[in-house]
Amino acid sequence: MALTGNKIFVDGVRVLSPGSLDEAFQARRRLSGISWIGLHRPDPAELEAVAKEFGLPALFVDAARLGHPRARLGHYESTLLAVLRPARYVEDGNRIRFSELHVFLGPDFIITVQHDDFPNIDQVFQTLEENPHLLRQGPLAAFTGILDRVTTDYEPVLAGLQQDIDQIEEQLFLGQTDVSRRTYELHREVLAFLHATGPLEETVAAIHDQLDGPESNPVVRHRLRHVQDLALRQKRQAQAFRSLLQNALSLSATLAAERMTATSVRQNEQVKRISAWAAILFVPTLVGTVYGMNFRFMPELHWLWGYPLALLLMLAMSLGLYVAFKRNKWL
């Protein structure tokens, strides 16, 4: 287990950075302030120790240990659990990578549990330390800093998705064969982003209803409103991406059908031409075959004009077929 953060703040100023959980527990009992403990992939025993010290509900602890696929908010007595889904756009592979962040919030503590290496919550608290007036507002003010970091990190993700969509729109009319597959994959990425992060806006809004802080503290209320507005805008942008990709899938299917139709028409024209020439060549072949049977008693066999007449008949019939096929646009 990596103890990514362990700080105690008094009146908005960091007064201690314990080196272990035991030291943090002892200092918390001795000092009257706000404790922040950051855990990275803790084992069950460590989670239980933290839960016992801070009185965390067992249900919340199980959620942090087992994970949760979507952003959510839970409230039990004076403890708040927020599950956040930070995201990062991976250029190599053009995909979105999600992590999971559990935040336990109490009257005098804030505990973060991560199972991935982003976001860097220690950097969030370093920024907060530069603004002691925020930390004086309590754990909820620190929580707004985490929310702001998570929603701000969504911006590069949406920018990456926008770039991918622009590329797909260009590829659609170039007739590239793999554009449908790429569009479908990107559509799934956008859906995953919406499922993971969509409830964040409602989660922030619910904090206004479940905690007294936003109603009595204008600083916290303002920061929460900023995060809520940003999350709502990002949600709408992702929904717009989803609509664009659905239209791109429909357009891709239409263009593919048109290309297949055009190919089929060309093939039919070629078949018609081949069939027409085959019929034209079949007539003289048929006549020549009949007169090439070498039977003793055949019509016009000893007639002087029989041979020229047979040639003329083959030419006339072939010419007649050629004219007929030409009129019907088979040739």
Side-chain angles (χ1 to χ4, degrees):
M1 187 272 293
L3 192 61
T4 58
N6 198 357
K7 300 178 181 180
I8 296 179
F9 302 90
V10 177
D11 196 25
V13 179
R14 176 165 56 91
V15 297
L16 192 63
S17 297
S20 66
L21 287 178
D22 291 336
E23 292 180 20
F25 297 160
Q26 294 174 8
R28 174 177 179 265
R29 301 185 192 109
R30 186 175 67 253
L31 299 173
S32 178
I34 299 174
S35 300
W36 167 54
I37 296 178
L39 303 176
H40 182 255
R41 295 177 182 172
D43 58 41
E46 290 159 339
L47 267 179
E48 288 297 331
V50 173
K52 182 178 180 181
E53 175 66 24
F54 292 94
L56 304 179
L59 185 63
F60 287 4
V61 176
D62 290 339
R65 180 172 57 87
L66 300 175
H68 196 278
R70 301 185 67 182
R72 59 167 290 218
L73 182 72
H75 190 255
Y76 180 80
E77 295 182 353
S78 61
T79 302
L80 177 74
L81 167 66
V83 180
L84 305 177
R85 296 283 288 170
R88 175 185 295 176
Y89 184 78
V90 182
E91 294 285 349
D92 184 15
N94 297 333
R95 61 184 181 86
I96 303 174
R97 179 185 171 192
F98 294 97
S99 67
E100 191 168 328
L101 173 62
H102 293 252
V103 182
F104 298 92
L105 204 66
D108 61 349
F109 67 86
I110 180 168
I111 300 168
T112 58
V113 180
Q114 294 178 263
H115 296 277
D116 213 321
D117 57 354
F118 70 95
N120 191 332
I121 304 301
D122 186 55
Q123 291 181 353
V124 175
F125 276 89
Q126 289 177 11
T127 302
L128 290 171
E129 288 183 45
E130 298 173 0
N131 301 274
H133 68 283
L134 292 176
L135 286 175
R136 291 192 191 103
Q137 310 303 324
L140 186 57
F143 181 50
T144 60
I146 296 175
L147 288 172
D148 185 72
R149 173 61 182 271
V150 171
T151 51
T152 301
D153 287 348
Y154 288 156
E155 291 297 307
V157 175
L158 293 170
L161 291 174
Q162 179 67 70
Q163 183 179 357
D164 289 342
I165 291 174
D166 291 342
Q167 292 176 353
I168 283 177
E169 290 177 343
E170 294 177 1
Q171 294 170 356
L172 271 174
F173 295 98
L174 295 178
Q176 296 186 7
T177 57
D178 61 341
V179 64
S180 296
R181 179 183 59 82
R182 178 62 186 132
T183 304
Y184 177 73
E185 291 175 351
L186 189 58
H187 185 260
R188 292 187 60 182
E189 291 283 308
V190 172
L191 281 179
F193 182 84
L194 280 172
H195 290 160
T197 65
L200 179 60
E201 183 259 336
E202 291 83 358
T203 297
V204 177
I207 296 177
H208 289 271
D209 302 328
Q210 298 192 29
L211 293 179
D212 296 331
E215 299 164 357
S216 60
N217 193 317
V219 175
V220 175
R221 184 169 61 250
H222 174 74
R223 288 174 63 86
L224 282 175
R225 175 59 62 185
H226 166 73
V227 172
Q228 185 180 8
D229 292 342
L230 182 59
L232 178 59
R233 181 181 63 79
Q234 292 169 342
K235 180 180 179 180
R236 289 175 176 173
Q237 186 175 0
Q239 289 172 339
F241 287 168
R242 179 184 180 184
S243 298
L244 283 173
L245 290 169
Q246 287 176 337
N247 293 335
L249 283 172
S250 300
L251 178 59
S252 177
T254 301
L255 293 175
E258 289 180 353
R259 287 192 293 268
M260 291 181 62
T261 301
T263 301
S264 179
V265 169
R266 288 194 298 268
Q267 291 176 344
N268 288 339
E269 291 297 325
Q270 293 174 356
V271 170
K272 287 177 3 181
R273 289 191 182 95
I274 294 173
S275 300
W277 283 112
I280 293 172
L281 295 176
F282 175 74
V283 169
T285 303
L286 176 64
V287 175
T289 301
V290 170
Y291 279 91
M293 291 181 180
N294 295 323
F295 288 119
R296 182 175 181 181
F297 299 102
M298 292 186 65
E300 323 302 342
L301 186 61
H302 299 286
W303 185 39
L304 178 64
W305 299 102
Y307 184 70
L309 182 62
L311 292 177
L312 182 62
L313 177 64
M314 289 186 284
L315 179 61
M317 294 179 66
S318 297
L319 184 60
L321 287 175
Y322 177 82
V323 172
F325 287 136
K326 195 71 174 178
R327 287 180 178 177
N328 287 278
K329 298 181 179 180
W330 280 44
L331 292 174

